[in-house]
Amino acid sequence: MKKALMLMLIALIAVTSVFAQGGAEGTASDVVLNRDKPLVFFNRQPSDPVSGEIDMETMNWNDKTYYVGFDAVGGGVVQGQMIVDYLASADPAKLDRNGDGVIGYVLCIGDVGHNDSRARTQGIRQALGTWAGSTDPGVSQQGSANVGGTTMPVVEIDSRAMTGTDGSTWNANAATDAMGNWATQYGTQIDMVISNNDGMAMGCLQASNYPTGVPIFGYDANADALEAIAQGRLTGTVSQNADAQAEATLQTLRNLLDGLTGADVYTKGFTEPDQWGNQISATVDYDAENKALLAANEAVTIANVDRLLSGARDEGIKQSEAPVVDVLLTIYNSADNFLSSNYLPALNYYAPLMGINLTVVQGDGQNESSCLDRFTNLSNFDAYAINMVKTNSGPDYTSRLQY
Ligand code: BGC
């Protein structure tokens, strides 16, 4: 009985709030409960932080729930291959700094519970033969690689999850400190530095004792990393195409709010123009099993950095006449370099063109509550886009969308 009363009350509030919003042609039948609204997760795929298994319960919250990201596993392979390619054309005498016949590298891990981070650690270790069946820090075996025509042993000297003093992950300052310590401790044993992302790679380069000229690889193709590649300070990175992902997040929401269903949700505006004439130029594949739209990865080195440095936006998206909709979007950490310098500016650029009015709330990267506390006034929004602090926090968000 109590529950029935509660439900009636909530329904009444929802109806009132639609009319209060000016609910245009609002009639009672227009009222959409929060639980029936589009919900797109992005960048942090709902999944188990240990096993990496996709949280399909969250993904099946309603038929308008999707994930937008990029091919994480494929990205790890691209990063590993980029390093292998670099080694194949390197001069062993120059690369092997202490001349001990062994290529030693150190590895910055972003977040042991994040599938992007894990995919990169695995991709790197598998490419170098140092994979010992685990993405944990410190778990590796001796590998080997072709260095300029000579097969040389490869050793992961050290690896560490870069957690900040505040508990936040992918922390660039932690990487600066770690690199400083590694350079002191291991000296010329370090022939290469590899990082799960650009933020931490750039953090390593900040260490005052960074061994000049030692090759270093990141991931993300952030603007400062691209510049560092052009200047010869960073050796390579991988673009996960943040632009395409931001567009895909918005396009998916747009399609769902335009009432599209089935394959139209992930083809309109992707493989063919949407009803407003917009179409994303990059390829975004649909993975039906996981309800995921995934952008492709591309290795970036001095050979192709110029094209990315131009920072050109996608001309496939133009100002549309789509009616304006309101979307609440969370970002797990306002200090995350990739999201704040790469993804968010893209969202802010494309959203108005697609008729999407974004309200962005940002957390502190460590406490889910820093986002959840601002995941409020939910009835005021037509749809939600979520980037969680922890990849297994999906239910904390969906439980708030019940009514
Ligand atoms: C990016 C990292 C970023 C993380 C945030 C990853 O895909 O490569 O740079 O810190 O997403 O969730």
Side-chain angles (χ1 to χ4, degrees):
M1 182 60 195
K2 253 189 177 166
K3 201 172 167 200
L5 261 176
M6 187 72 172
L7 281 174
M8 274 173 62
L9 191 68
I10 286 164
L12 190 70
I13 293 173
V15 174
T16 329
S17 86
V18 162
F19 287 112
Q21 279 170 50
E25 302 88 37
T27 64
S29 62
D30 284 343
V31 175
V32 181
L33 295 177
N34 296 339
R35 65 160 172 258
D36 295 324
K37 293 176 181 173
L39 173 62
V40 170
F41 290 90
F42 67 97
N43 173 266
R44 309 195 134 219
Q45 191 166 19
S47 54
D48 185 293
V50 178
S51 68
E53 196 190 329
I54 307 298
D55 171 5
M56 284 316 288
E57 214 171 305
T58 295
M59 289 312 302
N60 286 322
W61 163 247
N62 64 21
D63 60 356
K64 300 187 192 78
T65 305
Y66 286 86
Y67 171 70
V68 174
F70 66 101
D71 176 8
V73 173
V77 175
V78 169
Q79 192 182 24
Q81 189 59 44
M82 170 176 70
I83 297 166
V84 164
D85 290 346
Y86 171 85
L87 293 176
S89 56
D91 174 359
K94 229 176 121 196
L95 186 71
D96 179 12
R97 292 202 300 144
N98 62 359
D100 64 352
V102 176
I103 300 304
Y105 73 91
V106 287
L107 173 67
C108 298
I109 291 177
D111 175 353
V112 285
H114 191 305
N115 56 333
D116 293 355
S117 183
R118 282 215 303 269
R120 294 167 202 172
T121 299
Q122 181 164 352
I124 293 157
R125 287 177 176 165
Q126 281 181 333
L128 298 174
T130 53
W131 172 246
S134 164
T135 53
D136 287 346
V139 184
S140 66
Q141 62 176 26
Q142 183 175 307
S144 71
N146 162 20
V147 183
T150 312
T151 301
M152 294 179 77
V154 178
V155 167
E156 185 175 298
I157 306 170
D158 209 339
S159 54
R160 212 166 292 171
M162 298 302 168
T163 307
T165 45
D166 61 357
S168 65
T169 50
W170 303 86
N171 191 293
N173 292 333
T176 306
D177 290 347
M179 188 67 233
N181 293 333
W182 283 335
T184 306
Q185 194 177 347
Y186 303 115
T188 53
Q189 282 178 60
I190 302 174
D191 302 313
M192 215 163 43
V193 178
I194 309 178
S195 169
N196 282 171
N197 83 351
D198 283 345
M200 297 183 298
M202 297 304 287
C204 286
L205 286 170
Q206 293 292 315
S208 55
N209 57 350
Y210 186 86
T212 314
V214 165
I216 170 163
F217 301 88
Y219 198 111
D220 283 342
N222 289 343
D224 59 347
L226 295 177
E227 261 160 45
I229 291 179
Q231 294 160 356
R233 291 191 299 129
L234 190 73
T235 318
T237 186
V238 178
S239 166
Q240 56 166 287
N241 207 337
D243 224 56
Q245 289 182 65
E247 291 172 81
T249 296
L250 298 166
Q251 184 70 49
T252 307
L253 291 166
R254 180 80 253 170
N255 288 348
L256 292 164
L257 287 166
D258 287 343
L260 302 189
T261 56
D264 282 350
V265 176
Y266 47 88
T267 55
K268 300 283 180 189
F270 292 94
T271 51
E272 55 186 296
D274 69 4
Q275 60 181 301
W276 314 107
N278 278 331
Q279 183 178 357
I280 302 173
S281 305
T283 305
V284 179
D285 290 322
Y286 184 59
D287 164 11
E289 199 186 330
N290 299 314
K291 299 178 79 182
L293 287 104
L294 306 174
N297 298 275
E298 180 187 15
V300 186
T301 63
I302 193 72
N304 60 347
V305 72
D306 283 349
R307 179 167 51 76
L308 281 98
L309 260 177
S310 75
R313 295 288 182 199
D314 183 0
E315 287 178 9
I317 308 294
K318 301 204 167 59
Q319 183 64 56
S320 78
E321 309 215 315
V324 176
V325 288
D326 291 306
V327 171
L328 177 60
L329 181 142
T330 74
I331 288 188
Y332 87 105
N333 184 359
S334 59
D336 184 276
N337 43 72
F338 169 66
L339 290 165
S340 61
S341 77
N342 207 336
Y343 208 112
L344 185 55
L347 285 170
N348 284 332
Y349 175 82
Y350 293 110
L353 301 181
M354 295 184 178
I356 295 179
N357 183 23
L358 278 185
T359 298
V360 178
V361 299
Q362 306 197 54
D364 66 8
Q366 40 163 336
N367 302 303
E368 205 67 65
S369 59
S370 63
C371 280
L372 282 168
D373 288 353
R374 290 189 242 164
F375 191 63
T376 51
N377 298 324
L378 300 173
S379 298
N380 291 347
F381 298 95
D382 302 304
Y384 315 94
I386 295 180
N387 177 239
M388 301 170 285
V389 175
K390 297 268 182 295
T391 57
N392 57 352
S393 297
D396 293 337
Y397 292 84
T398 52
S399 62
R400 294 189 175 208
L401 294 172
Q402 275 188 42
Y403 303 106

